[in-house]
């Protein structure tokens, strides 16, 4: 989250019992150390316990995609359904907005992208706009939700990053849905990251 002058005051990572929680937390912590941003982990185990999806339920198979399937809506609609965590981004934005209000940060910044918004409506610009409208009423200081990347696909995001920062530490990023020692290379998230950094 950011102050109204855009300087980041706190980064939040959620542990909701997802397979990759420890890897995501580790990656976020290292990136925050690299950029000198304060970092906290929010524990919300009840969200994972709701189950019913491959991210938090180890009994459900994680969908694997071939690279040519990334833009096939009939495939990605199904994979999105398999990893859908009930109201996850809605919950996370509201938690972050509570932190923002308590610290007078004014802005919650999320990393949405146009590519995944095609199958995840809670990744879309429309969701950002409507969330901000709700937060105007549910926070005293009118916290807003903002994303620098919601109009970009992942190839554009990586391209912009490379222009802004010549030596961005891609080795600190964890994108895999799985929590293994190395990224699995086969889940949708691995495939999308690989396509973006290979472009
Ligand atoms: Zn993966």
């Amino acid at each position: 989250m950011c102050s109204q002058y855009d300087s980041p005051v706190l980064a939040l990572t959620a542990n909701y019992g997802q397979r990759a929680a420890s890897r995501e937390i580790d990656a976020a912590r290292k990136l925050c150390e690299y950029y000198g941003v304060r970092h906290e982990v929010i524990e919300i185990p009840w969200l994972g316990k709701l189950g019913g999806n491959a991210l938090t339920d180890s009994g459900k198979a994680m969908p694997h995609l071939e690279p040519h399937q990334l833009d096939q809506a009939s495939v990605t609609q199904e994979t999105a359904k398999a990893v859908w965590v009930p109201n996850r981004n809605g919950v996370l934005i509201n938690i972050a907005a509570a932190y923002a209000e308590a610290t007078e940060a004014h802005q919650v910044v999320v990393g949405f992208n146009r590519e995944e918004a095609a199958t995840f409506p809670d990744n879309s610009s429309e969701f950002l706009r409507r969330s901000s409208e709700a937060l105007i009423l549910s926070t005293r200081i009118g916290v807003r939700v903002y994303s620098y990347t919601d109009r970009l696909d992942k190839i554009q995001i990586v391209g912009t990053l490379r222009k802004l920062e010549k030596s961005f530490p891609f080795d600190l990023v964890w994108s895999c849905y799985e929590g293994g020692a190395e990224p699995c290379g086969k889940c949708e998230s691995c495939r999308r990251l690989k396509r973006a950094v290979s472009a």
Side-chain angles (χ1 to χ4, degrees), residues 123-144:
N123 236 276
S124 65
S125 305
E126 177 75 0
F127 179 62
L128 282 175
R129 187 178 65 75
R130 294 197 190 198
S131 293
S132 287
E133 285 175 1
L135 289 172
I136 287 169
L137 302 177
S138 68
T139 60
R140 183 183 49 78
I141 62 172
V143 172
R144 299 276 183 152

Side-chain angles (χ1 to χ4, degrees), residues 12-26:
L12 297 173
T13 305
N15 179 2
Y16 53 93
Q18 70 272 40
R19 294 185 194 205
S22 64
R23 304 309 311 257
E24 290 176 8
I25 290 166
D26 190 45

Side-chain angles (χ1 to χ4, degrees), residues 169-194:
F170 281 102
D171 55 317
L172 297 186
V173 171
W174 186 268
S175 192
C176 182
Y177 285 152
E178 301 278 10
E182 300 291 332
C184 77
K186 295 175 180 169
C187 73
E188 184 168 350
S189 194
C190 276
R191 294 288 194 200
R192 291 193 185 281
L193 179 65
K194 187 173 181 190

